[in-house]
């Protein structure tokens, strides 16, 4: 999506644009696989900030394709070995999760209240920061002044890790795991993740589509969406902008190397030997592949090449895509649930990094996109994805 978005902006600006994609289809991990009437997303499932006025929504509006997408407000559930936090049948307000946690962990009630005060402060800071980005220079000044006052409330956590923040508010490891569990999805240890970012990755609007974006006077918070019909529709919406403005999309067209002249990129050479000269080359992909394979280490400043060497490999995910002829709702009645098998997120992440594949015992998620988009499966059937993290090599 990064490369397609750049291409769409350039094409709308009047540039002559060619996009070369090594795979058979565009979109990379944002694409949707289709087979026998079923459809499964290959990468992102729930997307943040695509609503009107939100960061990604603003990009789509600028490109003129926001109205081509169907957005479905998203929610997800969490299941642990001896408790769960699932969307209630009756909506009881934007802080129903806080209230439910106090029922499950009455001995942690004070810490829960203090955490949610911390949460609201961080989310208000994020809201003000987005407003300041859109404001004029003068208009941003009062917003930044409010941010400075708010930040004083959470300044003590500035250098803390996520684990330290959880240890500050809670004593029960089962409760800490609720807020740390999402880090396993990124294969990041709680001891190395920024503590102030914990509210950002645990936004309440991600857990119930009935929660309003605006719960504070400061302004609306970001919401979470599913793309109706699959994330491939997002790909096609942006690709349509490229085509409509004269851009060309070339699939099954890997680039062999970037052509250099005088230390500048001047074109590309395709795998078949064809050379294309251009004023600008934009590359989207892994750092090592982009800089070492396509540009060449010898063309890079040594200190920059060393930085690329230090970029860690991401761990992998293992996904199973199923087409089923059963009704899954007696077992899971929402599109997305996370199922955790451990409360020790730190150790679970470290085991994965050491190459120990837990095969789902530490946790997995089940995503049923046909619950929000029935056209992603034949009538009376469902598309199901089971997904967990795995080492980057076995």
């Amino acid at each position: 999506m990064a490369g397609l978005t750049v291409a769409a902006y350039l094409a709308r600006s009047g540039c002559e644009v060619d996009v070369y994609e090594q795979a058979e289809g565009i979109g990379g991990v944002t694409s949707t696989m289709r087979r026998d009437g079923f459809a499964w997303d290959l990468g992102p499932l729930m997307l943040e900030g695509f609503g009107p006025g939100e960061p990604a929504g603003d990009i789509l509006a600028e490109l003129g394709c926001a109205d081509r997408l169907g957005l479905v407000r998203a929610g997800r559930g969490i299941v642990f070995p001896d408790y769960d936090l699932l969307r209630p049948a009756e909506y009881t307000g934007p802080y129903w999760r806080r209230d439910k946690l106090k029922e499950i962990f009455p001995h942690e009630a004070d810490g829960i209240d203090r955490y949610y005060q911390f949460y609201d402060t961080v989310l208000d800071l994020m809201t003000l920061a987005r407003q300041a980005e859109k404001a004029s220079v003068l208009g941003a000044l009062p917003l930044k002044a409010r941010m400075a006052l708010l930040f004083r409330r959470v300044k003590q956590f500035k250098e803390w890790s996520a684990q330290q923040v959880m240890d500050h508010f809670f004593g029960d490891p089962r409760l800490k795991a609720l807020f740390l569990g999402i880090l396993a999805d990124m294969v990041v240890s709680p001891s190395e993740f920024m503590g102030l970012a914990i509210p950002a990755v645990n936004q309440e609007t991600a857990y119930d589509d009935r929660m309003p974006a605006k719960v504070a006077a400061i302004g609306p918070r970001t919401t979470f969406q599913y793309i109706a019909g699959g994330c491939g529709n997002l790909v096609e919406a942006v690709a349509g902008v490229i085509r409509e403005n004269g851009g060309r999309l070339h699939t099954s067209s890997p680039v062999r190397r970037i052509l250099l002249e005088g230390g500048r990129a001047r074109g590309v050479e395709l795998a078949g030997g064809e050379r294309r000269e251009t004023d600008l080359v934009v590359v989207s992909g892994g750092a090592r592949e982009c800089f070492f394979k396509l540009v060449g280490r010898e063309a890079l400043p040594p200190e920059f090449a060393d930085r690329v060497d230090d970029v860690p490999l991401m761990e992998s995910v293992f996904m199973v895509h199923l087409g089923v002829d059963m009704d899954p709702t007696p077992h899971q009645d929402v599109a997305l649930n996370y199922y955790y098998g451990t409360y020790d997120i730190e150790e679970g992440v470290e085991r994965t990094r050491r190459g120990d594949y837990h095969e789902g015992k530490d946790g997995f998620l089940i995503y049923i996109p046909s619950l929000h988009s029935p056209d992603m499966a034949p009538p009376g059937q469902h598309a199901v994805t089971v997904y967990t993290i795995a080492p980057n090599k076995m």
Side-chain angles (χ1 to χ4, degrees):
M1 283 307 306
L4 290 173
T5 303
V6 172
Y9 271 110
L10 290 171
R12 277 177 59 90
S13 298
C15 297
E16 183 179 349
V17 174
D18 284 274
V19 178
Y20 294 98
E21 167 58 55
Q22 62 182 335
E24 294 180 1
I26 58 174
V29 296
T30 320
S31 57
T32 299
M33 179 174 64
R34 303 182 188 277
R35 181 178 300 175
D36 299 330
F38 294 94
W40 305 269
D41 287 327
L42 298 184
L45 310 176
M46 174 188 289
L47 301 174
E48 177 187 358
F50 275 77
E54 297 176 355
D58 285 345
I59 291 174
L60 297 177
E62 287 176 359
L63 292 175
C65 62
D67 58 351
R68 304 179 190 182
L69 282 182
L71 299 176
V72 182
R73 271 293 303 275
R76 65 177 180 237
I78 296 180
V79 178
F80 279 102
D82 56 357
Y83 80 95
D84 57 49
L85 210 56
L86 303 174
R87 179 183 187 273
E90 181 179 350
Y91 180 63
T92 57
Y95 292 100
W96 67 259
R97 290 197 346 133
R98 178 195 62 191
D99 299 337
K100 183 66 175 178
L101 287 173
K102 289 162 75 171
E103 292 179 14
I104 300 172
F105 301 101
H107 56 292
E108 296 276 14
D110 178 65
I112 292 169
D113 282 336
R114 289 187 297 110
Y115 168 78
Y116 273 90
Q117 292 171 359
F118 165 73
Y119 165 86
D120 278 330
T121 300
V122 173
L123 268 289
D124 284 346
L125 281 166
M126 291 170 58
T127 299
L128 288 170
R130 287 194 300 274
Q131 293 173 1
E133 287 178 1
K134 294 182 179 181
S136 65
V137 174
L138 290 178
L141 291 178
L143 296 171
K144 291 181 177 179
R146 294 179 72 183
M147 291 174 63
L149 290 173
L150 272 180
F151 184 68
R152 293 171 62 182
R153 301 181 188 175
V154 295
K155 185 178 180 180
Q156 72 177 96
F157 305 106
K158 181 181 177 182
E159 304 297 332
W160 289 23
S161 70
Q163 188 65 60
Q164 289 172 312
V165 168
M166 289 294 99
D167 292 343
H168 174 77
F169 288 113
F170 310 125
D172 196 317
R174 299 175 300 160
L175 182 52
K176 297 175 188 179
L178 176 75
F179 298 103
L180 296 175
I182 193 65
L183 301 184
D185 207 22
M186 300 176 269
V187 200
V188 176
S189 298
S191 62
E192 64 188 19
F193 190 76
M194 182 187 299
L196 281 175
I198 279 294
V201 295
N202 284 283
Q203 293 192 49
E204 296 294 299
T205 51
Y207 297 97
D208 192 331
D209 60 289
R210 298 167 296 186
M211 289 185 184
K214 186 171 182 178
V215 295
I218 279 178
R221 298 168 178 175
T222 57
T223 56
F224 292 75
Q225 326 283 339
Y226 300 121
I227 303 297
C231 286
N233 288 340
L234 170 63
V235 174
E236 284 304 316
V238 176
V241 175
I242 300 171
R243 297 187 185 101
E244 290 159 12
N245 287 276
R248 295 173 291 272
L249 298 167
H250 310 272
T251 55
S252 301
S253 299
V255 172
R256 177 184 293 167
R257 64 189 179 101
I258 293 173
L259 303 175
L260 303 177
E261 181 183 315
R264 292 179 60 107
R266 293 299 188 188
V268 296
E269 180 180 314
L270 304 180
E274 179 185 357
R275 296 163 68 96
R276 292 293 310 274
E277 294 185 359
T278 184
D279 298 317
L280 176 68
V281 177
V282 178
V283 186
S284 174
R288 289 179 178 81
E289 289 78 5
C290 291
F291 291 111
F292 292 160
K293 180 180 176 182
L294 299 184
V295 175
R297 189 183 190 107
E298 68 282 355
L300 302 171
E303 63 275 12
F304 182 80
D306 290 342
R307 287 174 59 192
V308 175
D309 280 329
D310 290 339
V311 174
L313 286 174
M314 292 181 66
E315 273 63 38
S316 301
V317 296
F318 182 71
M319 306 179 82
V320 177
H321 300 294
L322 304 171
V324 301
D325 60 356
M326 58 171 281
D327 177 9
T329 56
H331 311 283
Q332 178 176 310
D333 62 358
V334 294
L336 179 61
N337 268 357
Y338 282 73
Y339 299 88
Y340 292 96
T342 180
Y343 294 110
D344 193 343
I345 308 302
E346 181 89 14
E347 177 57 24
V349 168
E350 291 306 316
R351 282 200 304 271
T352 299
R353 288 176 167 177
R354 293 195 298 265
D356 179 11
Y357 178 40
H358 60 89
E359 298 182 338
K361 292 188 292 293
D362 282 351
F364 57 91
L365 65 79
I366 295 178
Y367 178 48
I368 312 172
S370 47
L371 287 181
H372 65 70
S373 297
D375 61 341
M376 295 182 74
Q381 303 184 58
H382 285 278
V384 179
T385 294
V386 185
Y387 160 132
T388 191
I389 61 170
N392 57 42
K393 59 182 178 180
M394 299 295 288

